[in-house]
Amino acid sequence: MTDVVIQTTNLSKELTSSLLRRKVRILSGLDLSVTKGETFGLIGPNGAGKTTSIKLMLGLMRPSEGKAEILGMPAGDKRALARLGYLPENPYFYSHLTGREFLDFAGQLFGIEGKQRFERAKELIETVGLSEAADMQMRKYSKGMLQRLGIAQSLINRPELVFWDEPMSGLDPIGRRDVRQILLSLKEKGTTIFFNSHLLPDVNELCDRVGVMCKGRMVVQEEVKNISGGGNYKDLEDFFLEVIAKAEAENKSASSAETQSKEAVS
C-alpha cells in the first residue's frame, strides 16, 4: 500500500469579515491525499485559498470544519513538524543576523548539534548560491537573496516533506533555475514536495500531479502527464484557464440562482 503523507478531509475555514460583519468561507471541503515521494503543485488565482490550505495543514490555522493529517499525525503535531520543512510566502527574518547565523539559529530550533549544524549550514549556503553573502547582515540582502535563504532554512533538518509557498517569488531566471535544480534533487532523494506557484512552466516541469483551486474550492486534481504528455507547459496553461473559466461560470450561475430564490421568498 502506498504511504499517504498528506491527508485532508472536508478541510474548511471561515473568517469573520470586519467590514461586512459576517462570516466568509475562504476554504470549503478540501479533500486531498499526497503520497510519499510525490510532488504536488497547487495552482489557482490570487485569493483561491492556496496559502490558507498550507497553513491549515501545518497547524498554523485551525479549521472551522474537517481535519488534516501530516505524516500520519494531526496537523500541528510537534513530531510531524520536526520532520518537515516550510517556506512561507512572505518569510520573516531577523535582519541583524547574517545568513549563516540565521541558518545556525534554525538548526538549533531542530536540536541539531554544533558541528553537524555548522556543516549543514555551510552545505546549504553553497546549494542556494549565497556563499559570498553568507556573512553579510540580512538587512543588506535583496528579495531574491532572502528567498534563497528561506529555501535553505526549510531544508536545514533534512526534511522528508517540504511545504513551499511560492518558492520562485522574487527570483530572477538564474534563481528560478537553481531552485528547480534543488527541487529535482529533492525528488531524486524521495522527498515529498507540496508547493504553490503561479509559474506554470515550473509546475509543469516539476510536478507529478496538480490541483486547481478557485474561490476556496478544489475544482480538479490531475496528473501532469495526462495534461501535457509532450512536456509543453502551454497544455497546462490551457487546461488551467479552461478549468477556472468553467468554475467561475458555475459559481456565477449558483450565485444568480441563490439571489433569485431569496427574491422569490421576500
Side-chain angles (χ1 to χ4, degrees):
M1 181 177 179
T2 305
D3 293 330
V4 175
V5 178
I6 301 171
Q7 180 80 58
T8 71
T9 305
N10 191 37
L11 196 62
S12 306
K13 182 64 179 177
E14 287 184 346
L15 294 176
T16 301
S17 170
S18 57
L19 178 63
L20 301 175
R21 300 290 181 178
R22 62 182 176 85
K23 289 186 176 181
V24 177
R25 178 155 289 211
I26 58 175
L27 186 69
S28 297
L30 177 62
D31 293 322
L32 174 68
S33 292
V34 177
T35 57
K36 185 176 181 180
E38 184 177 16
T39 299
F40 189 95
L42 195 58
I43 56 180
N46 290 331
K50 303 185 298 297
T51 294
T52 297
S53 299
I54 285 184
K55 288 182 176 180
L56 288 167
M57 292 177 201
L58 292 171
L60 299 175
M61 297 175 73
R62 292 185 177 181
S64 302
E65 296 177 40
K67 65 178 183 178
E69 292 186 349
I70 305 298
L71 298 167
M73 290 166 271
D77 190 294
K78 291 183 179 180
R79 294 168 297 171
L81 295 177
R83 294 162 56 190
L84 61 83
Y86 172 47
L87 172 70
E89 182 178 10
N90 297 302
Y92 175 81
F93 299 97
Y94 299 107
S95 60
H96 64 284
L97 297 179
T98 67
R100 193 185 307 277
E101 288 171 340
F102 180 73
L103 289 181
D104 184 74
F105 169 69
Q108 290 181 55
L109 294 178
F110 282 101
I112 303 173
E113 296 182 358
K115 183 177 181 181
Q116 182 183 1
R117 194 169 66 237
F118 175 83
E119 292 298 329
R120 181 59 173 161
K122 180 180 178 182
E123 175 189 353
L124 288 170
I125 285 167
E126 293 175 355
T127 298
V128 300
L130 286 177
S131 296
E132 294 183 2
D135 298 306
M136 180 190 301
Q137 286 185 319
M138 289 183 290
R139 63 168 53 99
K140 299 178 182 178
Y141 278 22
S142 67
K143 179 173 174 54
M145 292 165 71
L146 290 172
Q147 192 72 2
R148 288 171 180 262
L149 186 64
I151 289 169
Q153 66 79 28
S154 75
L155 302 176
I156 192 74
N157 60 325
R158 301 185 189 275
E160 54 195 274
L161 166 64
V162 295
F163 287 90
W164 284 0
D165 197 345
E166 297 290 349
M168 308 295 186
S169 176
L171 296 176
D172 57 23
I174 295 175
R176 283 178 57 195
R177 179 203 63 192
D178 291 346
V179 172
R180 284 197 299 271
Q181 290 302 314
I182 292 170
L183 282 166
L184 289 170
S185 176
L186 290 172
K187 283 172 66 75
E188 290 177 0
K189 295 174 182 177
T191 306
T192 307
I193 302 166
F194 187 103
F195 74 96
N196 300 343
S197 182
H198 290 295
L199 300 173
L200 297 185
D202 296 325
V203 173
N204 190 76
E205 179 180 350
L206 297 165
C207 292
D208 302 306
R209 193 158 53 98
V210 296
V212 182
M213 298 197 71
C214 182
K215 297 188 183 302
R217 293 184 179 276
M218 180 79 82
V219 292
V220 69
Q221 298 178 47
E222 185 57 89
E223 293 187 28
V224 172
K225 65 182 180 182
N226 294 335
I227 301 170
S228 57
N232 186 348
Y233 83 91
K234 284 290 186 180
D235 293 335
L236 177 59
E237 184 178 88
D238 291 342
F239 174 82
F240 171 75
L241 293 174
E242 181 180 341
V243 166
I244 293 298
K246 181 179 179 181
E248 290 182 339
E250 290 175 351
N251 287 333
K252 185 176 181 180
S253 177
S255 178
S256 177
E258 182 180 357
T259 301
Q260 291 177 5
S261 177
K262 289 180 178 179
E263 290 176 349
V265 171
S266 61

